[in-house]
């Protein structure tokens, strides 16, 4: 992941090797390369432009200490700005309700159901929560079955109503059941579609309104690049979600989604999915991701 971007950035910093100080000319040359590297990694055009503008301003504005080489200074500034671009601080889940409710949203195939299982497992084992998973996809029986199988693997019960066609009611009934049976966390997996469609949006909006979740997470496949960013924008306009989950970061994603989403929707990335297995989930730490990108 990000291999190509890392390599390209490293190469662009080489322009400054051997230079005695930062100048308008060598900074412009370096940042032209940096911008190209970002665009080739599928970073949103406006995001790439404002990124390099900020780096330029900082680089030229810093009094270069004789001890710091221009290339080192540039790496440091780019690192700090990449961290800021991805949100700066690590964004935690805020789960205060009893039960706390997490609503999953996203397109079909984004990894929503898998992530629901991963998150239930993580919060159960690491935070000692007692989760109940809820299958709200009333269109695809296979989706309910998939969640049931995941639940069995992680020993978390799955609430479903095979005969119901009303996902809002299913979610409300599940919360009722959680209260009655002492579950302190309800994770609601919803129906996705292959592309944005009005009915899906209305449905998830109605579920959100009815259950008033502590966290609404938007799950997106990082391999889809710019599409991921556009889909995030549309879901955010309708749902005003709290956080993003980037899945399939184990594939050869170019990184554009990870680097653009935060700026475009102004919502933090909270988790990443790094594989099909149920333990392939990580909290998202912007500074550590910047470390990885810069090698
Ligand atoms: P949903 O339709 O949004 O519920 O998506 P699924 O959870 O069914 O996932 C779609 C496919 O992506 C499945 O084959 C998953 O195993 C796979 N998948 C989900 N998350 C990841 C991930 O982080 N990495 C990889 N490599 N595959 C994933």
């Amino acid at each position: 992941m990000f291999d190509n971007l890392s390599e390209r950035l490293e190469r662009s910093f080489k322009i400054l090797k051997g230079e005695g100080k930062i100048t308008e000319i060598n900074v412009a040359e370096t940042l032209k390369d940096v911008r190209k590297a970002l665009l080739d990694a599928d970073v949103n055009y406006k995001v790439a432009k404002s990124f390099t503008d900020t780096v330029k301003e900082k680089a030229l504005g810093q009094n270069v200490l004789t001890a710091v080489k221009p290339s080192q200074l540039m790496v440091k500034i780019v690192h700090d700005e990449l961290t800021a671009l991805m949100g700066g601080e690590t964004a935690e889940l805020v789960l205060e309700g009893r039960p706390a409710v997490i609503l999953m949203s996203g397109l079909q195939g984004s990894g929503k159901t898998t992530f629901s299982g991963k998150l239930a497992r993580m919060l159960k084992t690491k935070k000692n929560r007692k989760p109940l998973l809820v299958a709200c996809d009333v269109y695809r029986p296979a989706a309910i079955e998939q969640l049931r199988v995941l639940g069995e693997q992680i020993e978390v019960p799955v609430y479903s109503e095979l005969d119901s066609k009303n996902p809002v009611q299913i979610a409300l009934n599940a919360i009722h059941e959680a209260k009655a049976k002492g579950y302190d966390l309800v994770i609601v997996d919803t129906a996705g579609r292959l592309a944005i469609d009005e009915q899906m949006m209305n449905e998830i909006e109605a579920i959100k309104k009815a259950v008033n979740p502590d966290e609404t997470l938007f799950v997106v496949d990082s391999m889809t690049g710019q599409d991921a960013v556009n889909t995030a924008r549309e879901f955010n306009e309708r749902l005003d979600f709290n956080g993003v989950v980037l899945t399939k970061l184990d594939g050869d994603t170019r990184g554009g989604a990870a680097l653009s989403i935060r700026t475009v929707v102004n919502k933090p990335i909270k988790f990443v999915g790094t594989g099909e297995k149920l333990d392939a989930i990580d909290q998202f730490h912007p500074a550590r991701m910047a470390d990885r990108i810069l090698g």
Side-chain angles (χ1 to χ4, degrees):
M1 149 184 95
F2 297 144
D3 287 351
N4 198 32
L5 177 61
S6 300
E7 213 173 278
R8 293 275 304 271
L9 289 175
E10 200 184 330
R11 240 189 288 152
S12 51
F13 299 140
K14 283 208 176 115
I15 295 172
L16 291 170
K17 286 252 160 75
E19 296 275 340
K21 60 178 183 144
I22 294 263
T23 66
E24 284 262 0
I25 292 171
N26 60 25
V27 163
E29 218 180 310
T30 308
L31 292 179
K32 202 169 127 197
D33 265 26
V34 168
R35 188 181 308 179
K36 268 198 236 152
L38 292 173
L39 292 175
D40 286 347
D42 213 11
V43 171
N44 175 285
Y45 177 79
K46 281 191 195 152
V47 173
K49 169 136 186 14
S50 89
F51 181 86
T52 46
D53 286 351
T54 311
V55 173
K56 181 177 170 194
E57 204 176 294
K58 294 216 163 143
L60 293 175
Q62 302 234 358
N63 281 326
V64 187
L65 304 169
T66 39
V68 182
K69 292 193 185 125
S71 59
Q72 285 171 340
L73 179 70
M74 185 58 89
V75 170
K76 162 126 192 18
I77 295 172
V78 169
H79 180 278
D80 291 351
E81 288 312 306
L82 280 176
T83 306
L85 188 65
M86 291 184 285
E89 299 295 313
T90 303
E92 304 284 342
L93 288 179
V94 181
L95 300 174
E96 282 169 355
R98 280 293 182 269
V101 178
I102 302 176
L103 178 64
M104 297 295 175
S105 65
L107 295 179
Q108 190 178 320
S110 61
K112 233 179 319 97
T113 303
T114 308
F115 181 74
S116 300
K118 288 177 178 178
L119 189 62
R121 179 185 171 278
M122 179 190 225
L123 294 174
K124 179 182 159 183
T125 54
K126 299 213 170 127
K127 303 276 181 197
N128 224 0
R129 302 295 297 236
K130 214 177 154 208
L132 177 66
L133 284 161
V134 187
C136 269
D137 190 335
V138 295
Y139 312 100
R140 295 190 310 135
I144 302 178
E145 179 58 16
Q146 185 189 353
L147 194 64
R148 199 190 58 72
V149 170
L150 281 178
E152 244 168 45
Q153 285 172 16
I154 58 175
E155 295 180 24
V156 167
V158 174
Y159 184 91
S160 63
E161 294 180 21
L162 289 173
D163 300 328
S164 172
K165 289 281 169 242
N166 183 344
V168 172
Q169 197 56 51
I170 296 173
L172 289 172
N173 291 347
I175 292 169
H176 190 71
E177 166 118 337
K179 278 187 189 147
K181 295 196 173 161
Y183 296 102
D184 62 8
L185 175 65
V186 175
I187 299 179
V188 182
D189 186 21
T190 58
R193 298 276 198 286
L194 292 173
I196 301 250
D197 98 13
E198 193 55 25
Q199 191 197 358
M200 169 185 69
M201 284 299 191
N202 287 340
E203 181 178 301
I204 184 126
E205 228 176 351
I207 299 174
K208 183 175 181 207
K209 209 164 156 213
V211 307
N212 190 22
D214 296 75
E215 290 271 345
T216 302
L217 298 179
F218 167 69
V219 182
V220 69
D221 178 344
S222 60
M223 307 276 286
T224 59
Q226 287 293 303
D227 277 347
V229 178
N230 295 333
T231 312
R233 192 191 280 121
E234 293 198 44
F235 269 82
N236 193 43
E237 274 166 15
R238 295 293 290 267
L239 283 183
D240 190 21
F241 53 69
N242 306 88
V244 177
V245 177
L246 273 184
T247 62
K248 311 188 195 182
L249 230 64
D250 49 311
D252 56 352
T253 169
R254 290 186 285 159
L259 293 168
S260 313
I261 275 191
R262 166 72 207 217
T263 307
V264 174
V265 296
N266 198 24
K267 296 288 166 68
I269 301 171
K270 294 200 170 180
F271 292 96
V272 294
T274 54
E276 295 191 71
K277 295 219 180 92
L278 288 168
D279 59 357
I281 168 175
D282 286 314
Q283 206 180 357
F284 184 77
H285 301 291
R288 282 189 221 164
M289 192 56 86
D291 290 346
R292 269 167 85 167
I293 293 171
L294 292 180

